[in-house]
């Protein structure tokens, strides 16, 4: 196997025997094969769409296949094998759709070329035929991985690395598109771009410039996708409002909801009404407490634990049932394997999966566990500072900046992880001067979100914008403030200091680069798939830079430590 799609890859440049995330070589091969097979689907779907033909089942499958291969989503070889075979079936459906569209257009060619719109038969991933058993599929996946390595050697490490940047960004964007469509917000052009990008990534040859252009287009389209998800969430549950959230236990039976899916949380809240069960959020579900349509349930009592990487300890100590709605799942300990469940695209071998939104087994498991014996000491944090809430006090913020009461804004957020060096973000937040405001989002906030930062100019110094996809809110806030000050984002007293772990962070970074945001500090390390020459290009064009030390970075940003 070879995998370097996350920040915690092995020290030799990537995971080659076992993934640091827990992914074994069999699962890695099947995930590569699923991407390959899905590229074959998109090769036909992209050409069919150019002729006016499309299919929703095909569109959604490619999005879900990409999301399935995001870090810490699906570790189950049997379920991955089912998806690979489904890809082959839908590839045939896409080919038939394309053939019919060609016939209707009168452009079919008797001697087709691979890149020709008129080619009824395509090769490469479009010609994939799945093996008859799991071992055969794994062998095919290993062959795909080897073919990708050979292509990398042919196009060069720089172009190959940027193609990986595009693919990983596409995976992250697929997660957001899937959450949006679950709540009924979709866009035909977005689906079309997924197919276009997958078709590009199926090529045998491409240049560095072509790969970089595609990566930035991923960032461009991802802005639209994040806006779609923002629309989906706020239409369904209202605009988030500042809300105090309890982070200590409440006596009684308990269910812990982890992941990112708001619709799953709503279903659980509805199904647990009147059953004497308290519901807690975990990880990236914390911002759900700010949505009026979710916080109206009185048995949504608080948030438990911290970021994803501490779950094996925290889940073992949680005296109730646990449901993983999306990433990040880790290998469950035996002590709680009987009371943890997966749903949606998440899977772990031996963990019970909820295929529909009937969470009765989760409820039964919660009632069978003792729950919390007593209330913990009360402690609260505040969430709900989305763009609507922040812009509601924009005048106050602008006046404070003009009066010199607010000197600078820091966006400190992104993915958290277990790798050493992430304590930098805690120290940075603590060292930010009292006349500065900190915006935060995603699970990186857990490095400091339970600390007391007080207020400046009558507003909280720490503003929790939301989940990782709520980077859209941060962008909206920045763009609106830029308008008010008659400048662009780069002209604001704003510094972005981001942490990354998996592919959703990659697509957000690409969106920021598409917007022309400069001088982003990124850590704990730079992506392995970006070669030194590519990093230099990004530094020269965008000023992107690795984090250094808190003292050095604060001095560079503010002119003083």
């Amino acid at each position: 196997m070879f995998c370097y799609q996350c920040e915690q890859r092995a020290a030799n440049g990537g995971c080659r025997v076992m993934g640091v995330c827990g992914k074994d070589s069999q699962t890695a091969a099947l995930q590569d094969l699923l991407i390959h097979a899905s590229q074959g689907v998109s090769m036909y779907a992209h050409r069919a769409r150019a002729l006016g033909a499309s299919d929703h089942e095909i569109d959604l499958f490619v999005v879900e296949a990409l999301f399935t291969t995001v870090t810490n989503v699906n570790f189950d070889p049997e379920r991955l094998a089912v998806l690979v075979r489904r890809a082959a079936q839908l590839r045939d459906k896409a080919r038939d759709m394309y053939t019919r569209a060609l016939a209707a257009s009168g452009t079919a060619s008797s001697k087709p070329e691979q890149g020709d719109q008129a080619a009824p038969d395509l090769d490469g991933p479009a010609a994939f035929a799945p093996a008859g058993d799991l071992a055969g599929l794994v062998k095919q996946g290993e062959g795909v991985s080897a073919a990708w390595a050979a292509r990398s050697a042919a196009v060069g490490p720089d172009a190959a690395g940027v193609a990986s940047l595009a693919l990983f960004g596409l995976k992250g964007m697929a997660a957001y598109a899937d959450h949006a469509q679950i709540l009924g917000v979709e866009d035909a052009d977005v689906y079309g771009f997924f197919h276009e990008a997958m078709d590009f990534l199926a090529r045998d040859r491409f240049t560095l410039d072509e790969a970089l252009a595609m990566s930035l287009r991923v960032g461009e389209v991802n802005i639209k996708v994040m806006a779609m998800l923002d629309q989906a969430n706020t239409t369904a549950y209202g605009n988030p409002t500042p809300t105090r959230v309890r982070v200590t236990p409440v006596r009684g039976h308990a269910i812990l909801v982890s992941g990112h899916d708001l619709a799953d949380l709503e279903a659980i809240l509805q199904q647990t009404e009147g059953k004497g069960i308290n519901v807690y959020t975990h990880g990236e579900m914390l911002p759900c407490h700010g949505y009026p349509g979710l916080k109206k349930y009185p048995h949504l009592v608080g948030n438990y634990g911290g970021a994803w990487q501490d779950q094996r300890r925290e889940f073992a100590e949680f005296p109730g049932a646990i449901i993983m709605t999306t990433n990040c799942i880790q290998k469950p300990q035996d002590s709680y394997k009987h009371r943890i469940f997966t749903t949606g695209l998440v899977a772990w071998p031996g963990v019970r999966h909820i295929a529909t939104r009937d969470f009765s087994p989760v409820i039964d498991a919660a009632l069978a566990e003792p729950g919390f014996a007593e209330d913990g000491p009360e402690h609260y944090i505040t969430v709900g500072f989305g763009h609507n809430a922040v812009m509601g006090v924009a005048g106050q913020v602008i006046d404070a900046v003009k009066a010199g009461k607010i000197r600078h804004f820091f966006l400190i957020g992104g993915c958290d992880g277990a790798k050493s060096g992430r304590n930098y973000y805690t120290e940075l937040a603590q060292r930010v001067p009292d006349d500065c405001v900190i915006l935060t989002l995603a699970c990186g906030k857990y490095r400091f979100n339970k600390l007391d930062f007080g207020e400046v100019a009558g507003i909280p110094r720490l503003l929790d914008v939301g989940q990782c996809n709520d980077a859209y809110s941060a962008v909206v806030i920045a763009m609106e403030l830029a308008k008010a000050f008659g400048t662009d984002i780069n002209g604001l007293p704003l510094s972005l200091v981001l942490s990354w772990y998996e592919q959703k962070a990659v697509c957000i970074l690409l969106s920021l680069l598409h917007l022309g945001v400069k001088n982003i500090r990124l850590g704990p390390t730079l992506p392995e798939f970006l070669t030194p020459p590519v990093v230099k290009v990004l530094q020269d064009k965008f000023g992107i830079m690795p984090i250094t030390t808190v003292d050095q970075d604060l001095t560079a940003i503010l002119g003083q430590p």
Side-chain angles (χ1 to χ4, degrees):
M1 68 175 285
F2 178 75
C3 182
Y4 62 176
Q5 72 175 3
C6 83
E7 196 272 335
Q8 292 184 183
R9 75 280 174 188
N12 61 350
C15 298
R16 302 173 187 273
V17 178
M18 183 79 177
V20 174
C21 65
K23 177 169 61 177
D24 61 21
S25 59
Q26 184 182 55
T27 300
L30 291 169
Q31 288 187 355
D32 287 351
L33 187 61
L34 179 57
I35 293 297
H36 177 78
S38 299
Q39 287 174 341
V41 177
S42 287
M43 289 170 71
Y44 281 117
H46 174 53
R47 288 161 175 78
R49 189 173 289 271
L51 297 170
S54 63
D55 182 278
H56 184 262
E57 182 183 26
I58 289 170
D59 293 343
L60 183 56
F61 175 83
V62 170
V63 167
E64 292 185 339
L66 283 161
F67 188 5
T68 294
T69 65
V70 166
T71 302
N72 294 102
V73 174
N74 190 330
F75 293 83
D76 190 334
E78 295 292 343
R79 288 192 64 194
L80 288 167
V82 170
L83 291 171
V84 169
R85 297 188 190 286
R86 184 61 179 152
Q89 295 170 350
L90 289 177
R91 184 273 323 279
D92 292 342
K93 184 179 183 182
R95 183 187 184 281
D96 291 343
M97 177 176 66
Y98 176 43
T99 301
R100 291 193 302 271
L102 277 174
S105 69
T107 58
S109 170
S110 60
K111 296 185 68 176
E113 299 293 337
Q114 175 77 2
D116 188 352
Q117 178 174 290
D121 291 297
L122 306 174
D123 56 23
F128 166 69
D133 58 16
L134 182 63
L137 290 175
V138 171
K139 186 174 182 179
Q140 286 181 315
E142 293 169 347
V144 167
S145 305
W148 286 353
R151 184 182 70 172
S152 296
V155 302
D158 300 340
V162 176
S164 293
L165 176 68
L167 174 60
F168 301 155
L170 205 65
K171 289 183 178 187
M173 186 171 77
Y176 298 150
D178 189 52
H179 287 308
Q181 70 82 22
I182 286 171
L183 292 174
V185 178
E186 301 176 87
D187 186 275
D189 291 339
V190 167
Y191 285 133
F193 177 73
F194 275 109
H195 296 310
E196 179 187 353
M198 290 286 273
D199 178 69
F200 172 84
L201 293 167
R203 292 185 190 177
D204 290 329
R205 297 290 184 271
F206 44 77
T207 66
L208 172 60
D209 287 344
E210 289 172 333
L212 184 58
M214 180 55 71
S215 295
L216 292 176
R217 285 194 62 204
V218 171
E220 177 184 12
V221 177
N222 184 57
I223 294 170
K224 182 175 185 177
V225 173
M226 289 193 297
M228 289 165 53
L229 183 51
D230 180 75
Q231 175 193 343
N233 288 340
T234 56
T235 299
Y237 306 113
N239 283 301
T241 59
T243 303
R244 293 173 75 241
V245 180
R246 183 170 179 148
V247 292
T248 51
V250 176
R251 183 175 181 273
H253 294 293
I255 291 175
L256 187 62
V257 185
S258 189
H260 302 76
D261 196 293
L262 275 62
D264 285 335
L265 175 60
E266 179 186 34
I268 290 167
L269 289 168
Q270 291 172 341
Q271 293 172 37
T272 51
E273 281 190 291
K275 288 185 167 60
I277 296 174
N278 293 321
V279 177
Y280 298 80
T281 56
H282 174 264
E284 284 266 52
M285 296 300 283
L286 168 62
C288 295
H289 291 269
Y291 288 92
L294 296 173
K295 67 180 181 179
K296 68 182 182 182
Y297 293 93
H299 60 299
L300 179 61
V301 296
N303 188 77
Y304 175 87
W308 65 273
Q309 73 273 7
D310 298 324
Q311 67 182 255
R312 299 186 80 235
R313 172 181 56 82
E314 293 175 347
F315 289 2
E317 296 171 354
F318 185 79
I322 304 151
I323 178 75
M324 303 297 298
T325 66
T326 62
N327 60 320
C328 295
I329 187 172
Q330 294 180 299
K331 181 180 180 179
Q333 294 194 50
D334 290 341
S335 63
Y336 63 84
K337 197 170 184 179
H338 65 288
R339 54 186 174 85
I340 186 172
F341 301 79
T342 61
T343 191
L345 300 177
V346 191
W348 191 283
V351 171
R352 185 167 179 181
H353 187 76
I354 307 297
T356 66
R357 285 201 169 91
D358 179 1
F359 292 105
S360 300
V362 182
I363 293 170
D364 292 342
L367 292 173
E369 297 297 320
F372 289 104
E374 59 185 10
D375 292 350
E378 289 191 22
H379 183 61
Y380 294 84
I381 60 177
T382 303
V383 303
F385 294 99
H387 60 88
N388 186 72
V390 173
M391 295 320 298
V393 294
Q396 182 179 345
V397 172
I398 292 166
D399 289 344
V401 172
K402 290 180 176 178
K405 295 179 180 178
I406 295 178
R407 180 176 19 156
H408 204 82
F409 296 88
F410 288 80
L411 175 57
I412 308 174
C415 306
D416 202 6
K419 194 172 182 178
S420 61
R422 290 180 181 266
N423 57 319
Y424 163 95
Y425 297 94
T426 308
E427 184 182 351
L428 176 65
Q430 291 174 313
R431 294 275 302 279
V432 166
D434 291 344
D435 59 355
C436 300
V437 173
I438 301 170
L439 302 169
T440 191
L441 50 81
C443 60
K445 75 185 71 171
Y446 284 103
R447 290 281 165 173
F448 48 82
N449 71 338
K450 293 175 184 175
L451 303 177
D452 184 4
F453 289 91
E455 293 187 347
V456 59
I459 64 171
R461 287 188 58 234
L462 180 66
L463 302 177
D464 186 342
V465 177
Q467 294 182 331
C468 55
N469 57 279
D470 289 311
Y472 173 76
S473 269
V475 168
V476 170
I477 292 167
M479 293 179 72
E480 289 301 316
L481 289 176
K483 288 180 186 178
F485 286 108
T487 184
D488 59 15
I489 291 179
N490 294 312
L492 289 172
L494 169 68
S495 296
L496 280 69
V497 188
L498 306 180
S499 57
W500 82 283
Y501 169 66
E502 42 93 318
Q503 298 75 61
K504 285 179 274 188
V506 173
C507 70
I508 291 170
L509 176 63
L510 290 174
S511 292
L512 294 172
L513 296 182
H514 167 75
L515 290 171
V517 178
K518 295 184 177 180
N519 301 319
I520 298 170
R521 285 173 166 80
L522 183 64
T525 61
L526 296 181
E528 187 70 32
F529 45 85
L530 298 182
T531 61
V534 172
V535 171
K536 188 176 186 308
V537 169
L538 295 177
Q539 288 174 333
D540 291 345
K541 186 170 183 178
F542 299 104
I544 193 168
M545 66 192 84
I547 60 172
T548 58
T549 67
V550 171
D551 281 343
Q552 289 176 335
D553 289 343
L554 279 177
T555 299
I557 292 169
L558 297 175
Q560 64 182 53

